[in-house]
Amino acid sequence: MEDGFPAPKTFNQGYSLTYDDVILLPHYIDFPTDAVSVSTRLSRNIPLSIPCVASPMDTVSEAHMAASMAALGGIAIVHYNCTSSQQASIIRSAKSLRVPITPSVSFASPVDGLPAYHGRYVFITESGGLPSKLLGYLSSSDYENLKDKPVKIFDYKRDCKSVEYVNWDCDLGKIETLLDEKDSDFLVLERDGEAVNVVVKEDVERLKGYPKLGAGTVGADGEWMVGAAIGTRESDKERLEHLVKAGANVAVLDSSQGNSIYQIEMIKFIKKTYPQLDVIGGNVVTMAQAQNLIQAGVDGLRVGMGSGSICTTQEVCAVGRGQATAVYKVSSIAALHGVPVIADGGISNSGHIVKALVLGASTVMMGSFLAGSTEAPGAYEYKRS
């Protein structure tokens, strides 16, 4: 008795289907939800506990997103809308955030005035961010009277004599105990003489509300695994050198059209120069595109063209494919070569994640799904009535 269409029949009719064009039929359940394993692979050599990847967007993936995703068993790909040294610094910072707490405080450099948006504390560091050497701090009571004054924040700072420092890899339980024992409102996590994070009491309470944290996505060095996006220009070869030295675990070639001579040459360069580094190619939507990159040596494929929330490839270039069809077709050939597929774009609800995985993807890339969260780059606006 035929009831619905099997996948080959659905996707071999010549139509381009999106996630919303497809619905899965229910079946019989004889297992509890906690018996389900969603462990998977990002690439040939990188296992994940959950099939979730934070997109290389400057509104999504920087240090705190990378640490938080790794802590939950996923991974983030750090964007490259910055200099190579800044991108490398983000990766080093992410790998130093053993406890994935996003600080609810603000940071400033010695030459800055009071930040436009700030919480209970403003910390002054040499670079104006983290990781960096801590020079001092101000509390909300300190800067109440500085409002609208054209002053350098450094001139009004408190020194660091009373600041409690702990090692960067201190676990959450010890941090909570120390905050109580020292009767302190915050602790500074330090590595190699630099502050890598600031933990305030309420941050600890918030983290305790996370889903249960397991071992996380940890590399051979005992630190979080973090991916890095790069392009295919000659200058990206130099960028990659900085990223590898910073500890990047996988390189993702970020291009709307992955099937190009430039990407193929970059893939071959990476595999020859850094044989220990997995490289993910893309984006692709056809079996022929995928075949070219697989032959070049990719360890993973990124699938999607024009399906992302801010992607205009289909409108501007008149090329692309419905994401459901793209994932199914590319996964069909990638599976024959043991190459995992990342479904990139079109994920706006949990049902889309399920559809992508059922259609053959090993992981899904999440952009707008994660943007605006506490862990994403950006600052809160505090408005006082």
Side-chain angles (χ1 to χ4, degrees):
M1 182 173 62
E2 186 174 51
D3 192 3
F5 287 106
K9 185 174 181 179
T10 301
F11 293 102
N12 289 333
Q13 300 180 77
Y15 297 113
S16 181
L17 304 176
T18 69
Y19 291 140
D20 289 334
D21 294 324
V22 177
I23 188 68
L24 308 175
L25 296 179
H27 212 287
Y28 174 67
I29 297 174
D30 59 357
F31 53 85
T33 55
D34 58 9
V36 177
S37 171
V38 290
S39 59
T40 184
R41 288 181 299 148
L42 173 76
S43 57
R44 290 185 193 271
N45 302 302
I46 298 182
L48 301 178
S49 300
I50 60 173
C52 301
V53 184
S55 178
M57 297 164 60
D58 56 14
T59 55
V60 177
S61 295
E62 290 187 357
H64 292 286
M65 180 64 73
S68 298
M69 289 296 291
L72 294 171
I75 197 168
I77 312 300
V78 174
H79 70 86
Y80 68 117
N81 295 340
C82 54
T83 66
S84 57
S85 60
Q86 288 171 330
Q87 189 180 13
S89 178
I90 291 171
I91 290 172
R92 283 192 296 270
S93 177
K95 296 175 82 70
S96 295
L97 295 173
R98 200 69 189 96
V99 176
I101 289 180
T102 307
S104 56
V105 298
S106 300
F107 296 90
S109 75
V111 297
D112 289 338
L114 188 66
Y117 308 114
H118 42 74
R120 291 174 58 196
Y121 295 97
V122 177
F123 288 83
I124 300 98
T125 65
E126 283 186 344
S127 67
L130 296 176
S132 186
K133 184 178 180 180
L134 183 63
L135 303 177
Y137 71 98
L138 280 80
S139 69
S140 56
S141 59
D142 296 326
Y143 56 69
E144 280 292 337
N145 296 326
L146 300 181
K147 190 176 182 181
D148 301 324
K149 287 185 179 180
V151 297
K152 287 184 180 179
I153 194 171
F154 187 77
D155 296 332
Y156 294 85
K157 70 175 179 61
R158 296 190 192 186
D159 60 38
C160 300
K161 292 179 181 178
S162 60
V163 173
E164 296 289 343
Y165 291 89
V166 295
N167 202 39
W168 70 279
D169 57 357
C170 188
D171 63 36
L172 184 64
K174 187 173 181 181
I175 289 173
E176 187 174 21
T177 300
L178 286 172
L179 284 169
D180 290 336
E181 287 180 354
K182 303 292 184 179
D183 193 26
S184 178
D185 197 38
F186 64 85
L187 292 175
V188 174
L189 276 65
E190 184 181 42
R191 185 178 191 181
D192 300 327
E194 292 186 326
V196 297
N197 205 3
V198 177
V199 179
V200 182
K201 273 187 176 180
E202 51 260 40
D203 295 332
V204 175
E205 293 302 315
R206 180 172 56 82
L207 187 65
K208 288 164 69 175
Y210 260 49
K212 186 177 180 181
L213 300 177
T217 309
V218 179
D221 56 5
E223 299 178 351
W224 300 132
M225 298 189 82
V226 182
I230 61 170
T232 57
R233 300 178 185 274
E234 275 298 310
S235 58
D236 286 295
K237 293 178 180 179
E238 182 180 346
R239 176 185 289 268
L240 183 60
E241 182 181 357
H242 289 286
L243 302 178
V244 171
K245 288 179 179 178
N249 300 99
V250 58
V252 176
L253 299 182
D254 197 20
S255 174
S256 60
Q257 158 60 305
N259 186 30
S260 70
I261 185 62
Y262 311 106
Q263 183 155 146
I264 288 172
E265 288 179 348
M266 180 62 86
I267 292 167
K268 292 178 178 178
F269 168 81
I270 296 173
K271 298 309 294 182
K272 180 180 179 180
T273 311
Y274 307 101
Q276 81 287 358
L277 184 70
D278 274 16
V279 56
I280 295 173
N283 282 27
V284 296
V285 292
T286 71
M287 299 172 78
Q289 286 181 305
Q291 184 68 39
N292 278 349
L293 299 191
I294 290 170
Q295 290 175 347
V298 291
D299 300 294
L301 286 169
R302 196 172 164 194
V303 178
M305 191 176 291
S307 54
S309 60
I310 60 172
C311 187
T312 59
T313 307
Q314 292 184 16
E315 289 83 358
V316 175
C317 302
V319 294
R321 198 173 204 175
Q323 186 68 340
T325 300
V327 169
Y328 178 79
K329 290 292 187 178
V330 173
S331 297
S332 298
I333 190 169
L336 300 177
H337 300 274
V339 175
V341 162
I342 305 171
D344 178 23
I347 303 296
S348 57
N349 58 57
S350 59
H352 291 157
I353 297 175
V354 175
K355 290 176 184 180
L357 299 177
V358 169
L359 292 171
S362 294
T363 56
V364 295
M365 189 157 274
M366 303 159 79
S368 60
F369 202 96
L370 298 174
S373 61
T374 301
E375 292 74 18
Y380 280 102
E381 291 190 23
Y382 294 90
K383 294 185 178 180
R384 300 185 182 185
S385 56

